[in-house]
Amino acid sequence: MRTLLLSLVLSVTSLALTPFTADPPLRGFFAQSVQAERDLEARLKAMPDPARMRAAMQRLSARPHHVGSPYDKQNAEWILSEFKSYGWDAHIENFDVLFPTPVERLVELVAPTQFKASLQETALPADPTSNQQAEQLPSYNAYSVDGDVTGPLVFVNYGVPADYEELEQRGVSVKGAIVIAKYGGSWRGIKPKVAAEHGAIGCLIYSDPRDDGYAGGDVFPNGPMRPAQGVQRGSVADMPVYPGDPLTPGVGATKSAKRLSVAQAATITKIPVLPISYGDAQPLLAALSGPLAPPSWRGSLAITYRLGAGPARVHLRVKSDWSLKTLYDVIARLPGTTEADQWVIRGNHHDAWVNGAQDPISGLVAELEEARALGALYKQGWRPKRTIIYAAWDGEEPGLLGSTEWVETHADELKAHAVAYLNSDTNERGYLGIDGSHSLEKFMNGVAMDVEDPESGVSSWKRIQARRILSGSPEARKDARNREDLRIGALGSGSDYSPFLDHLGVASVNIGYGGEDDGGIYHSIYDDFYWFTHFSDSAFVYEKALAQVGGISVLRLANADLLPFGFSNLAETIETYIKDLQSLRDRRAEQIADRNRALDEGVYKFTSDPRDPVTAPQRLQPAPQLNFAPLLNALDSLKGAASRYERAYATAVSAGRSSTAKAADERLIQAERALTSTEGLKNRPWYVHMLYAPGFYTGYGVKTIPGVREAIEQGQWQDADREIARAAAVIEREATLVSGVASALGGA
Ligand SMILES: [Zn+2]
């Protein structure tokens, strides 16, 4: 009663302050709970402290802290003690995973001239942590198979499938060759995979200065861009097949887990691969002859870009230590009260390739400040309805190891209890990025409206809207102006949300600010405290904003009277995916017909320049018509169910009955699970979500309704109708679930 009186007083005060606007509704809260929640959020928002985050970043990035390193373990122990000091019940959970580290690395040009690549990032006097060579992992690509190969060199642009079609038309084969690909255009692991599929025996990946070097600004330490000796490390495991420990697919890498042998692990590359700097790449590329590279392939080096093959011959040797290493996941918990068996989960990784101030510490320090703020509220007497779990993952960089192994170990509990997973990774100045499950789109729009953007002073929501109006596509501009909610993107892969969303069907969201800071230090020794405090969010105000977004999201999910999921935006988004698939099929059909016709007409033959000949592409199987009716019918069901749910939701919230809400919540947490299929995607059963998956040939990039989309893109027409039926089945199941919850809530 006292609380009620107090909140009445407070709401009168806030009305007085903003005389003409009532408190906007808060998704998931009964009218009588809104004010108490807003008061709590105001207290939480005031707590994240830029000075503390700066100090935490300096401490956590002081030394290299990759998987298996002493400082990785020390950081985990420090994070553990922080969580405990904030009042959380915390522990470290260990896993033993395959994590190869380099033993031998060699790249040399053996003909027509000789050159040995340095494979060394140099220490810079201005940058105090760049000289920690004894602890730095040398530049390499983790999960490259061991190998010692020599062959002619071929330049393959970004090394994606379309690039090989182009090479074939120019009569350039990579069979028996070592390819050199630029970073970018796809996730890096796709490059050796596609090269091996085309018969290459080795793969080099370099960062062209056009993409993140001097073409974009001054190079480090004078500016943020990649210097000539800077190298991007990174995993090349075939993550679109499954992420996590290559030896324990689908199960947790605990001490007693049954393990594959290294030779049996499907995700290790088929050919050796090594990343190099543009300093090291230039002499190799300059030694190529053969056809000129197409204009769009050329970079910013002062050379003539040619394709090869040869006469440059390259010798590549890679050998790793394939021992198991121990992961240290830090897991912290604040217990819930009335709905303790519903878990709200938040995570960011703590491991880095080297010092990793930006990736991942810029996100982690915000997460820690949220935890401190939530812990302070807890000490002051607040109790969340639902249990809150905060995680600091190890082993994200090599392949989402820490999150995947934890998710696989606790899969049954998570399927029963997980409400949602909220992830962050790197953070910079700029615009709030939100990607994730569309059942949370409306909810996350509400959060973005309530966090101020530190540079403009308007809400983070308003700032994203402004940018979309200014520079979006015509469609995006219209949406930004007229649609009630800003659209959020779908999640592919590339950070720790993937096991939650893709493997279990836990509704997930990734958050992070960005878009104003240029940089070319990704996964190099120069991603460190010096770089971050000179060229990124040096005032740590966007770290504070991220902590506010994360903290408020968690607080709302944990306290809500009725879980804040909504399904109208989901249905509407699925509709855009279906339309997109239909036009993709039609475009493909037209392209195929056009190419086959051009072949019949002999246009390739007649236009080929004898001095720079281009051969005709292969004839393609014409595209059949597809039957989209099952998807469209399922969509109709979901739209109907979603609007019934919105009516029921409005009734339930105004009636404010906790008993019906509690029953609804238990079913609502299964709503994302309903979108999964137990058999999973074709040839990659680890991925079970039928709406979102990383692309088999793009890696990080998302494929929406992936079964159907990839069947069309890859011309596997025989699969397309079956995939349409499978996707339709989960959407029908979602409609049934949503409709059932609407009835239970007492809606019409
Ligand atoms: Zn990261």
Side-chain angles (χ1 to χ4, degrees), residues 123-142:
L124 300 169
D127 177 2
T129 60
S130 64
N131 64 358
Q132 299 169 329
Q133 279 98 346
E135 290 182 74
Q136 291 165 356
L137 265 182
S139 52
Y140 79 121
N141 287 128

Side-chain angles (χ1 to χ4, degrees), residues 8 31 44 46 56 77 89 127 136 158 220-222 242 282 346 408 428 440-441 484 509 585 608 668 671 682 688 699:
L8 274 174
L44 177 129
E77 284 162 355
D89 173 16
D127 177 2
Q136 291 165 356
Y158 291 117
F220 192 65
N222 300 321
Y242 60 85
Q282 176 150 351
R346 166 84 172 96
E408 290 174 346
E428 300 167 14
L440 288 170
E441 184 174 78
E484 190 179 320
V509 174
R585 181 264 155 214
S608 180
L668 283 172
K682 190 188 166 195
V688 298

Side-chain angles (χ1 to χ4, degrees), residues 544 607 689:
K544 179 173 178 175
T607 56
H689 206 298

Side-chain angles (χ1 to χ4, degrees), residues 349 359-360 396-397 425:
H349 69 99
D359 183 6
E396 188 271 354
E397 292 296 359
D425 196 324

Side-chain angles (χ1 to χ4, degrees), residues 107-412:
V107 176
E108 57 185 356
L109 186 65
V110 294
T113 52
Q114 310 237 318
F115 164 75
K116 192 172 168 206
S118 77
L119 308 180
Q120 182 65 53
E121 297 182 287
T122 44
L124 300 169
D127 177 2
T129 60
S130 64
N131 64 358
Q132 299 169 329
Q133 279 98 346
E135 290 182 74
Q136 291 165 356
L137 265 182
S139 52
Y140 79 121
N141 287 128
Y143 304 109
S144 161
V145 71
D146 288 349
D148 188 337
V149 293
T150 302
L153 190 67
V154 177
F155 174 52
V156 297
N157 193 29
Y158 291 117
V160 299
D163 295 327
Y164 287 87
E165 259 185 56
E166 193 84 40
L167 285 169
E168 198 184 310
Q169 287 181 46
R170 283 155 211 270
V172 178
S173 164
V174 302
K175 277 207 179 64
I178 293 174
V179 303
I180 181 164
K182 293 184 292 190
Y183 265 116
S186 76
W187 176 63
R188 78 183 77 73
I190 301 302
K191 300 167 196 290
K193 164 164 145 174
V194 178
E197 284 175 3
H198 287 82
I201 57 169
C203 178
L204 299 173
I205 313 176
Y206 83 102
S207 305
D208 195 282
R210 193 179 75 167
D211 294 322
D212 65 0
Y214 51 72
D218 288 334
V219 303
F220 192 65
N222 300 321
M225 305 311 289
R226 195 177 295 276
Q229 71 279 16
V231 182
Q232 180 188 143
R233 288 158 190 74
S235 170
V236 286
D238 198 355
M239 265 189 280
V241 174
Y242 60 85
D245 174 26
L247 303 186
T248 59
V251 298
T254 54
K255 288 257 179 278
S256 59
K258 233 182 99 185
R259 287 179 164 75
L260 302 174
S261 68
V262 174
Q264 287 170 315
T267 55
I268 292 166
T269 65
K270 307 289 180 278
I271 57 175
V273 46
L274 206 61
I276 60 175
S277 65
Y278 59 84
D280 278 339
Q282 176 150 351
L284 307 182
L285 290 165
L288 286 173
S289 65
L292 278 178
S296 65
W297 291 28
R298 300 170 198 164
S300 291
L301 292 170
I303 57 166
T304 303
Y305 285 75
R306 294 185 179 275
L307 302 176
R313 281 182 71 78
V314 167
H315 177 200
L316 165 66
R317 187 160 72 227
V318 180
K319 190 169 183 291
S320 291
D321 163 5
W322 291 90
S323 59
L324 300 188
K325 311 289 190 298
T326 302
L327 296 181
Y328 300 85
D329 282 349
V330 188
I331 308 293
R333 187 181 289 255
L334 277 187
T337 52
T338 53
E339 293 176 44
D341 58 355
Q342 292 175 14
W343 302 350
V344 176
I345 310 167
R346 166 84 172 96
N348 195 105
H349 69 99
H350 70 76
D351 69 299
W353 277 116
V354 197
N355 298 73
Q358 186 201 37
D359 183 6
I361 303 302
S362 59
L364 182 66
V365 294
E367 192 200 34
L368 288 175
E369 277 298 89
E370 287 163 46
R372 190 174 68 85
L374 292 168
L377 294 178
Y378 195 89
K379 285 176 185 168
Q380 292 160 15
W382 161 71
R383 294 289 177 269
K385 276 202 177 78
R386 300 181 181 80
T387 297
I388 301 175
I389 298 174
Y390 265 51
W393 309 115
D394 200 355
E396 188 271 354
E397 292 296 359
L400 321 180
L401 304 180
S403 54
T404 300
E405 299 313 318
W406 190 80
V407 161
E408 290 174 346
T409 301
H410 301 285
D412 291 338

